[in-house]
Amino acid sequence: MIFEDLVKFPLYIISHPFKGYDDFKLQKKGKMYVALILLALTSLITILRFTSIGFIMNPNNPKDLNSIKLISFVLFPVLLFSIANWNVTTLFDGKGKLKDIFMMVCYSLFPYIIVSFFVIIASNYLTYEELLILNVIDYIGILGIVYLMFFGMICIHEYSPTKVFITTGLTIVAIGVILFIVLLIFTLIRQFYTFVYALLKEISKRY
Amino acid sequence: MKKFSLIVGIFIVMLFTSFNVKAGYYYSYWGTPIDSVDPYTHVKTITPPEIDVEIGELTDMYVHNDNIYLLDGKLNKIVILDENYKFVKQFPENLEMDPVKMNGPKGIFVRDELDKSGELRTYIYVADTGNGRVLRIKDNWLYKEFKTPDELIFQGEEAVDYKPEKIVVNNTGKMYIIATGVYEGILELDPDGTFSRFVGTNKVAINIIDRFWMMFMSKEQRDKINLYLPTTFLNFHVDEDGFLYTVTQTSDGSGNDMIKRINTKGVDVLSRTGYFFPKGEVSYTWWDNGDVPTGPSLLLDITANDYGLYSVVDVNRGRIFTYDFDGNLLYIFGGNGKQVGKFSNATTIQYVHDNLLVMDSTNNTISVFEPTKFGELVNEATRLYYEGDYEESAEVWEKTLKYNTNYYLAYRGIARTQYIKGDYKASMENFKLANDKTNYSLAYKEYRNEQLKKYFPIIVVLMFSSVGYLLYKSIKDNIREAKETGRDD
């Protein structure tokens, strides 16, 4: 049953994206726990990519390993995209709920996970000249995400392809706006903190 | 109680020894500073009172046949010391009876030449900056002068004043001169003093933002803004084969071609295969808190020895960086300060065999640095590798690791020899420690081939047997199915 949900259905979506995402939404074949597992696997993959990718391909200083940072590199984009896309599509009569969008994004990570596992293992057994092929395969993983998300959005929002392009563009704008506001809040907090710190320092120097 | 006092005693000893250890630093593969052993130690400082000569301001120094030639730019004289740093003679011997009358000379070079009667004599070349001429002084103090070269930039209305600053002469007798305000490059003069050409012109560096605004400027505006001039050479050194090692001030902050090795054709042929470009400090701060110097290194002088090792001095931080012929950073030492062996304005360095002389032109001192055991080993290993004696060099690198286990060049040196010998597995391990990915890949390729050759029969047998088994199984299944369904085809 878990195998069915976790492996077979995502594979089915890859081979039959329209049918797959229809089943995903209408027959409730997309499961939240699967989405979360896929998200967790992607986080794990980014950490493995940092630590265990073949020596020749690995540009990272092992001292710089920060797993929380790496996990947030996966988590934040996924959440940001889901929220931004939901914000935009509700205005453009998208039929998808926030939960659907989030699950769809997580399911779309599936090809990336498979490709990355392959890349991590293969990179340990290859030389410099052969790495070119591996890089191409690596790009296929990222293209897989785009490919699945494209069909996912068509099915979930019941959109036409052109509308998907438009809403995706607007989603990127929305992400920019969200980031801007977050940054603004952070700088304000920082300024407030430095102000209080300076004040306290002044007081402590005086008395 | 006894035990306790022993422990305390050991602790105290450790505390003091840790203060006494003079630790140098080095850059790791990732450009972060890591601890290293000091490669050179300060052994002696030569001061004017010690050699009993009055010195105004030292501007340059050159070592020839173990004699040290010092140039005093204020009192306009040349002072010669022998290999034990004792005073030999000076020129002019009496300042009142000066036949040459130099005026603020800045560069000196010494070389043995055949004179007209076919005798080998020592000639001193001086860039007499204030008088705008180059002097060629024979060891009997007769001299010849070369005035302004016959070149366009020194003529006409917008003529540049000819102010030679540094001079070297290569083994064919051609003079190379760095002159103030000459942006065309290094002047090359024939042995008889006629101008031949400019060598090694630096590129003009305009950053993208400036170039963008230039697009919108009118011609009048463009004329008004500052000229973009190429950086000028600060100093140079000529090696036995006639290559010019030059240092330039960084123009764009990257400074990747701060150090150049210019061949006789005028092309930069410096090998930059190290993990960092040879440019002094690798990581530095731009944030000025008043305590530490900011920005990249300002290299003022360069010197090379006979096996391709070259050292540069960074006047910003008073440090000396040594590179091998491949452009690998070997070690760093020195520093600015008031203590013995530190500098306030280190401007000139020279090799005397393996020792390094550093001239401080503010204190008018010359510090003598001698390699430590570690520095000696590194130099030797580099020399042996340069001469092609790979096995011997690996042995020396092995010894180096006893002094500094962090030293990745040693691992690389060992690994290269192991690779040549065919010990691929061990060389892979050492290349990994040295973070040398290209060579690791080469070693791994050989190792993988070896393994494949070893296990190829087994792989083939396994493959054939599994395919055979699958075939057998599917045929059997088909037959059984056919029997069960009753069909026979």
Side-chain angles (χ1 to χ4, degrees):
Chain A
M1 194 58 201
I2 288 178
F3 181 74
E4 187 98 348
D5 281 347
L6 201 61
V7 184
K8 267 203 162 166
F9 184 59
L11 279 175
Y12 179 73
I13 293 178
I14 292 174
S15 52
H16 308 80
F18 277 112
K19 188 84 182 37
Y21 273 121
D22 273 347
D23 290 355
F24 174 88
K25 198 190 169 192
L26 301 174
Q27 298 186 17
K28 302 251 180 268
K29 272 202 168 176
K31 299 281 192 317
M32 194 54 167
Y33 82 93
V34 177
L36 289 175
I37 286 174
L38 288 176
L39 195 61
L41 274 176
T42 316
S43 311
L44 186 73
I45 280 285
T46 43
I47 295 168
L48 278 179
R49 262 175 177 273
F50 194 98
T51 57
S52 309
I53 206 155
F55 170 69
I56 298 169
M57 221 183 167
N58 193 347
N60 305 309
N61 186 351
K63 267 188 178 173
D64 293 341
L65 176 62
N66 182 349
S67 42
I68 292 171
K69 196 168 123 193
L70 288 174
I71 290 170
S72 63
F73 272 151
V74 177
L75 220 58
F76 275 114
V78 168
L79 289 176
L80 209 61
F81 183 86
S82 310
I83 291 166
N85 191 258
W86 178 64
N87 282 339
V88 171
T89 49
T90 37
L91 294 176
F92 282 75
D93 0 286
K95 298 286 186 297
K97 287 177 279 183
L98 181 58
K99 193 185 157 197
D100 289 337
I101 298 167
F102 172 72
M103 272 158 56
M104 183 271 291
V105 174
C106 290
Y107 268 75
S108 304
L109 295 172
F110 189 74
Y112 178 72
I113 294 169
I114 293 172
V115 168
S116 290
F117 259 119
F118 174 73
V119 166
I120 287 167
I121 292 165
S123 67
N124 282 294
Y125 297 97
L126 291 181
T127 60
Y128 242 123
E129 298 95 74
E130 295 144 10
L131 282 186
L132 188 69
I133 310 160
L134 209 61
N135 279 331
V136 171
I137 294 170
D138 217 8
Y139 282 121
I140 290 172
I142 291 160
L143 278 178
I145 298 177
V146 177
Y147 160 81
L148 281 188
M149 276 196 350
F150 177 69
F151 289 111
M153 279 196 281
I154 289 177
C155 296
I156 281 181
H157 298 309
E158 292 166 23
Y159 274 174
S160 64
T162 37
K163 214 167 177 188
V164 169
F165 279 121
I166 293 162
T167 48
T168 311
L170 287 172
T171 305
I172 289 162
V173 174
I175 287 173
V177 171
I178 292 171
L179 280 181
F180 175 71
I181 291 165
V182 168
L183 228 83
L184 206 69
I185 291 168
F186 268 106
T187 38
L188 278 176
I189 289 172
R190 205 186 160 80
Q191 276 186 356
F192 182 70
Y193 166 78
T194 44
F195 169 71
V196 171
Y197 180 75
L199 210 68
L200 285 175
K201 211 172 175 184
E202 186 84 1
I203 290 165
S204 70
K205 287 257 163 74
R206 248 167 221 247
Y207 301 103
Chain B
M1 194 58 209
K2 220 175 177 183
K3 224 178 201 173
F4 177 73
S5 56
L6 191 74
I7 290 166
V8 169
I10 289 169
F11 186 71
I12 287 168
V13 168
M14 273 166 65
L15 205 68
F16 279 100
T17 46
S18 68
F19 276 121
N20 284 335
V21 169
K22 278 206 293 178
Y25 77 105
Y26 185 63
Y27 281 106
S28 73
Y29 170 73
W30 286 281
T32 51
I34 49 172
D35 285 338
S36 174
V37 188
D38 251 2
Y40 272 72
T41 56
H42 172 262
V43 284
K44 192 176 167 66
T45 304
I46 307 159
T47 55
E50 201 177 314
I51 50 174
D52 209 14
V53 185
E54 194 196 347
I55 279 170
E57 190 197 344
L58 289 176
T59 49
D60 204 2
M61 162 178 73
Y62 194 79
V63 177
H64 178 71
N65 284 348
D66 291 351
N67 287 339
I68 304 162
Y69 293 75
L70 302 174
L71 186 65
D72 188 334
K74 210 170 192 178
L75 302 179
N76 302 321
K77 62 179 181 182
I78 300 161
V79 177
I80 305 170
L81 309 178
D82 67 4
E83 68 257 55
N84 301 317
Y85 318 115
K86 294 279 180 301
F87 174 74
V88 181
K89 54 188 169 183
Q90 63 175 345
F91 170 77
E93 270 156 56
N94 190 346
L95 280 175
E96 276 85 59
M97 304 260 293
D98 184 359
V100 186
K101 295 234 178 334
M102 293 189 284
N103 183 8
K106 282 188 180 165
I108 188 168
F109 186 87
V110 187
R111 144 186 148 88
D112 285 337
E113 267 172 43
L114 294 171
D115 68 354
K116 272 171 203 150
S117 58
E119 228 178 313
L120 201 65
R121 306 188 82 148
T122 306
Y123 284 85
I124 303 173
Y125 288 81
V126 177
D128 192 356
T129 316
N131 290 333
R133 59 177 179 174
V134 168
L135 296 170
R136 180 163 169 265
I137 306 166
K138 222 175 179 179
D139 51 4
N140 57 9
W141 307 125
L142 293 172
Y143 71 94
K144 191 180 169 187
E145 62 176 18
F146 303 106
K147 290 253 166 141
T148 314
D150 188 19
E151 222 294 307
L152 277 175
I153 57 161
F154 301 118
Q155 296 161 357
E157 267 176 36
E158 291 178 359
V160 181
D161 270 351
Y162 179 54
K163 285 193 189 310
E165 285 202 5
K166 300 285 170 198
I167 176 162
V168 297
V169 184
N170 77 2
N171 38 15
T172 60
K174 284 201 171 183
M175 286 179 268
Y176 293 90
I177 293 159
I178 297 175
T180 320
V182 176
Y183 300 98
E184 281 80 355
I186 298 167
L187 293 143
E188 187 190 277
L189 304 187
D190 287 336
D192 61 354
T194 53
F195 176 82
S196 139
R197 58 172 179 163
F198 289 109
V199 190
T201 314
N202 283 320
K203 283 195 201 91
V204 185
I206 308 176
N207 60 31
I208 297 163
I209 300 164
D210 284 348
R211 194 170 285 178
F212 175 74
W213 286 118
M214 294 254 276
M215 277 162 49
F216 301 104
M217 286 180 185
S218 65
K219 202 176 174 305
E220 289 77 32
Q221 277 174 316
R222 239 179 274 175
D223 287 343
K224 269 186 188 167
I225 57 168
N226 288 336
L227 277 172
Y228 287 96
L229 293 169
T231 50
T232 51
F233 291 99
L234 292 176
N235 212 331
F236 54 1
H237 175 93
V238 66
D239 74 358
E240 282 170 3
D241 304 322
F243 286 99
L244 291 175
Y245 288 82
T246 64
V247 282
T248 325
Q249 195 169 359
T250 170
S251 51
D252 54 348
S254 75
N256 290 340
D257 56 357
M258 250 151 109
I259 300 170
K260 282 182 183 169
R261 184 170 187 249
I262 297 169
N263 67 6
T264 40
K265 259 177 105 180
V267 182
D268 177 20
V269 291
L270 188 76
S271 171
R272 297 185 176 87
T273 54
Y275 293 153
F276 322 106
F277 284 114
K279 59 172 180 177
E281 217 74 76
V282 175
S283 65
Y284 42 81
T285 176
W286 284 105
W287 182 61
D288 190 4
N289 65 355
D291 294 334
V292 287
T294 54
S297 295
L298 176 56
L299 306 178
L300 272 200
D301 196 12
I302 183 163
T303 179
N305 71 7
D306 47 357
Y307 46 94
L309 220 67
Y310 56 94
S311 291
V312 289
V313 63
D314 167 18
V315 73
N316 238 348
R317 297 175 183 81
R319 286 175 190 152
I320 290 136
F321 300 83
T322 303
Y323 298 88
D324 71 0
F325 52 91
D326 275 337
N328 294 306
L329 178 60
L330 291 180
Y331 41 73
I332 307 162
F333 68 96
N336 276 345
K338 296 271 181 267
Q339 302 101 315
V340 173
K342 305 268 175 183
F343 325 108
S344 28
N345 189 17
T347 53
T348 310
I349 46 174
Q350 278 285 318
Y351 270 115
V352 191
H353 304 298
D354 264 355
N355 288 7
L356 260 173
L357 303 184
V358 184
M359 195 186 82
D360 190 323
S361 57
T362 302
N363 301 341
N364 288 333
T365 57
I366 291 146
S367 307
V368 184
F369 286 88
E370 211 176 65
T372 59
K373 189 76 191 155
F374 171 69
E376 233 169 63
L377 289 170
V378 171
N379 287 356
E380 201 190 334
T382 319
R383 181 176 60 81
L384 288 167
Y385 194 81
Y386 180 76
E387 287 164 0
D389 197 346
Y390 301 129
E391 254 173 67
E392 197 102 331
S393 139
E395 272 167 36
V396 180
W397 280 128
E398 202 94 52
K399 279 184 212 156
T400 317
L401 284 179
K402 287 197 181 112
Y403 292 88
N404 186 357
T405 42
N406 268 341
Y407 202 59
Y408 63 72
L409 287 176
Y411 291 110
R412 182 151 83 166
I414 294 165
R416 279 200 279 212
T417 312
Q418 281 166 339
Y419 178 73
I420 290 164
K421 275 204 240 159
D423 190 357
Y424 300 121
K425 191 151 199 280
S427 85
M428 265 165 63
E429 211 164 281
N430 280 321
F431 275 134
K432 206 169 189 174
L433 284 169
N435 255 311
D436 187 339
K437 288 173 187 178
T438 335
N439 284 324
Y440 174 88
S441 168
L442 291 174
Y444 179 68
K445 199 176 183 178
E446 300 294 338
Y447 174 69
R448 199 177 55 182
N449 282 349
E450 245 175 32
Q451 297 290 308
L452 274 180
K453 255 180 221 157
K454 212 164 154 192
Y455 294 110
F456 190 68
I458 302 170
I459 293 168
V460 169
V461 167
L462 271 176
M463 248 165 66
F464 271 101
S465 55
S466 55
V467 168
Y469 174 72
L470 286 174
L471 265 174
Y472 167 74
K473 210 181 156 192
S474 70
I475 290 166
K476 207 177 143 192
D477 280 1
N478 271 334
I479 291 167
R480 201 186 57 208
E481 220 169 90
K483 269 184 188 160
E484 273 170 13
T485 51
R487 277 190 299 145
D488 203 2
D489 42 45

